[in-house]
Amino acid sequence: MDVSISQFVAGFPEFIIQLAAALGLFVGSLVIYVILTPHRELALIRSGNPSAALAFGGVVVGLAIPLGANLGSASSLMDVLIWGVVTLLLQILAFRFADMILRGLPRRIAEGDVAAAIFLMSVKIGLALIIAGAITDNNLI
């Protein structure tokens, strides 16, 4: 059998396990984030609020970037789980940080303040890129 095929066959089960864990963390993190934020993003998005969509889009991308980087450098399922939880906690702190700067962020997003939503989205994506860089540091994992 070709070496590439052998490596694929040997590594595929671990790939599926880590992918499933990352997807579970991703969905679970989104659910937790929605529960913990004071405004109801999904209801606001359903009603056509663009600032809620921008803010929640920042959460989605902000969680996906570090989880993807984590998968690229993780050596075990435990790495995926640990850094996935760290990512969620840091994204929740990013929301609190942005709220401290803008004051009344949930209200502003609910009222359709696109500028506030873009700021929050930028904070979340910027933090995600920094976390992704930190996660890929081989000294951490």
Side-chain angles (χ1 to χ4, degrees):
M1 185 183 305
D2 184 67
V3 173
S4 297
I5 294 173
S6 296
Q7 289 175 335
F8 170 77
V9 170
F12 190 72
E14 185 67 20
F15 162 77
I16 292 297
I17 291 168
Q18 288 187 8
L19 179 62
L23 289 173
L25 282 167
F26 180 67
V27 171
S29 294
L30 290 174
V31 169
I32 290 168
Y33 186 86
V34 165
I35 290 169
L36 291 179
T37 53
H39 56 288
R40 299 293 164 231
E41 281 121 335
L42 299 179
L44 292 169
I45 292 168
R46 285 185 194 108
S47 70
N49 184 319
S51 59
L54 284 169
F56 194 68
V59 173
V60 171
V61 175
L63 290 168
I65 290 171
L67 285 172
N70 186 3
L71 284 174
S73 62
S75 61
S76 70
L77 177 60
M78 191 55 68
D79 286 343
V80 173
L81 296 174
I82 290 169
W83 292 108
V85 170
V86 168
T87 296
L88 169 63
L89 294 175
L90 290 174
Q91 285 295 342
I92 290 169
L93 288 175
F95 177 84
R96 296 295 171 219
F97 171 75
D99 188 33
M100 286 177 12
I101 291 174
L102 292 184
R103 307 240 188 255
L105 186 58
R107 177 190 47 77
R108 293 174 74 164
I109 289 173
E111 292 173 353
D113 185 342
V114 174
I118 290 171
F119 176 75
L120 177 60
M121 182 179 71
S122 300
V123 168
K124 292 191 158 303
I125 293 172
L127 178 63
L129 292 168
I130 293 168
I131 294 169
I135 287 173
T136 58
D137 179 359
N138 291 332
N139 294 322
L140 291 178
I141 297 178

